[in-house]
Amino acid sequence: MTSSTLPFAADFAQMHRAIDAVMPLRIVGQVTAASGLSIEAAGLSLPVGSLCRIDSFGGRQSLAEVIGFNGDRTLLMSLSATGGVARGDRVENLAAGPLMRCCEQLLGRVIDGMGRPIDGKGPLPMGQWRRVDGRGVACLDRTSIDKPIATSVRAIDAISTCGMGQRMGIFSGPGVGKSTLLSQIAKHTSADVSVVALIGERGREVVEFIQHNLGEAGMKRCAMVVSTSDDAPLLRVRAARVACTVAEFFRDRGLNVLLLMDSLTRLCHAQRQIGLAAREPPATKGFPPSVFALLPEIMERAGRTATGSITGFYTVLVEGDDFNEPIPDAVKGISDGHVWLSRPLANRGHFPAIDILQSISRVRGSVATAEQVKQALRVMSLHAAWRDIEDLVSIGAYVPGINVEHDLACQARSRIEMFLRQDSRSPTTLEQAFVQLGELTVWIDQLEKVIRSQAAKPVGSARAPDGAQAGGNAAGRPAVKAAAR
């Protein structure tokens, strides 16, 4: 197959999948019972995932989806409120699978979990039909991740460098700066297109994210999918799949896509409601097995192919700051790395509150040079050394001159923290992040030479450089001047 026929082949495959989702027969059933979030219907022989319409008294109509079976009864869950549904209501099939239309005009628009625009800018043009419940790229069809992607966040780009097609988890408790970090990445990323999915968010936060965090400039190359906390659980789960479908559409157009999903935790809560309504047995801490099957299904849809790439950043809201909860633990095992947002750092006004010692990128060695990795490890090593003696320094019990590495960590602490702090309105490019990392490590090497030369002098003549103290005041700047001389 020549390269000129590839677009036609891709379109034909999409049309073939759309035809598979069409129901050639009209199947009509009847509501027999409703309990909680689930609805039972008789005479409705439809596959799981089928979309149905319920016609209620007074001309009221509601959409529902098949979620399972119980004997000869079909279990459905409404995509809206179940108020008004009564026994004997007519249930009719609409489609055998969830579909949506995708087009390039999705950029700059906000859509809901059904793919319908909700931003008041009018309808979207007719586009390409795509199944929402698609699967991830086959493992042998993926290409290696060997190109870095810029997030504009220095602590991520320089220390935990990410690659195109990687899947990263962002773990944080509430109020630690997760939304601000996401908006900065979406607005200033080096990817061609950003797709943002807000799953289970408060309605107030959606407007704030669009107007204040992203802004008009950020929305120009961003497509947003929104399903707030008051939406039906099925709609929240469907919104996550719609976001993946939109990202795949742009990837198949040869673009590098950044997919930001906030949050996986609320997505799992929605799936838990669906699973319990479908009479699944609760397993780990009340989560049914379908929750842990949904996580890899969503996250495996990101990746790099010969055509384009989808880089996924998925936030995980950690309840009670316990990172060993079932959902964070499962996401850590699926993702290609994670960014840890620390509450103690946020409480000290350190933003972004990224704990570089708890964060990791499993593809850093493939997308960064050996020298850049060495520099990042040097900074992390000194930061870890400072953590070891931080309590001693705080109570005044630390004695300098015993361990050179600890003395270096004390005096370099302020400079390293200055490097890790960053205003969200001051993005850095990937090249700038590596240049600043190199400058920091050169400064550290000069400071180390001064400390070692002072340690090698006789005890009576040994003294710290002027202005340099055990607590690392001014980050040892006088020592750097001495090293420069």
Side-chain angles (χ1 to χ4, degrees), residues 26-37:
R26 185 175 68 174
I27 300 176
V28 179
Q30 193 176 56
V31 173
T32 57
S35 176
L37 299 174

Side-chain angles (χ1 to χ4, degrees), residues 252-386:
D252 294 342
R253 291 289 185 272
L255 301 176
N256 294 312
V257 184
L258 178 67
L259 173 62
L260 300 168
M261 190 171 293
D262 184 18
S263 71
L264 279 184
T265 305
R266 294 190 177 104
L267 172 66
C268 291
H269 289 169
Q271 182 61 37
R272 176 170 61 182
Q273 292 177 275
I274 297 171
L276 295 177
R279 301 177 186 178
E280 282 188 68
T284 309
K285 290 196 174 181
F287 289 99
S290 61
V291 171
F292 301 99
L294 177 66
L295 284 173
E297 175 193 332
I298 293 294
M299 297 181 70
E300 284 293 337
R301 294 179 72 170
R304 188 180 176 200
T305 66
T307 306
S309 67
I310 300 176
T311 306
F313 279 79
Y314 309 89
T315 68
V316 180
L317 186 62
V318 182
E319 299 177 1
D321 290 344
D322 183 3
F323 293 96
N324 294 316
E325 284 286 310
I327 300 305
D329 195 53
V331 174
K332 281 188 293 183
I334 301 170
S335 63
D336 302 315
H338 51 264
V339 175
W340 221 275
L341 298 186
S342 167
R343 184 173 298 280
L345 287 178
N347 292 340
R348 294 203 298 262
H350 181 124
F351 291 103
I354 297 174
D355 187 341
I356 61 172
L357 299 182
Q358 297 293 333
S359 303
I360 185 175
S361 171
R362 294 190 175 96
V363 304
R364 179 178 60 184
S366 302
V367 299
T369 65
E371 182 63 24
Q372 290 164 350
V373 173
K374 180 181 177 181
Q375 293 170 350
L377 292 176
R378 179 60 171 150
V379 173
M380 294 175 66
S381 175
L382 278 183
H383 202 56
W386 164 253

Side-chain angles (χ1 to χ4, degrees), residues 64-82:
E65 185 176 309
V66 177
I67 60 172
F69 309 97
N70 182 25
D72 59 348
R73 303 293 175 90
T74 301
L75 299 178
L76 302 99
M77 180 176 282
S78 177
L79 288 164
S80 57
T82 56

Side-chain angles (χ1 to χ4, degrees), residues 72-135:
D72 59 348
R73 303 293 175 90
T74 301
L75 299 178
L76 302 99
M77 180 176 282
S78 177
L79 288 164
S80 57
T82 56
V85 176
R87 181 180 309 200
D89 284 352
R90 185 173 180 270
V91 185
E92 182 179 350
N93 68 296
L94 296 179
L99 295 170
M100 71 168 294
R101 290 186 180 273
C102 293
C103 59
E104 295 183 0
Q105 288 74 16
L106 283 168
L107 294 179
R109 301 300 300 271
V110 183
I111 60 177
D112 64 5
M114 299 296 293
R116 301 169 298 199
I118 57 174
D119 51 8
K121 297 180 180 179
L124 288 164
M126 298 290 287
Q128 181 187 97
W129 280 108
R130 296 182 75 102
R131 283 192 68 112
V132 171
D133 57 348
R135 310 299 295 181

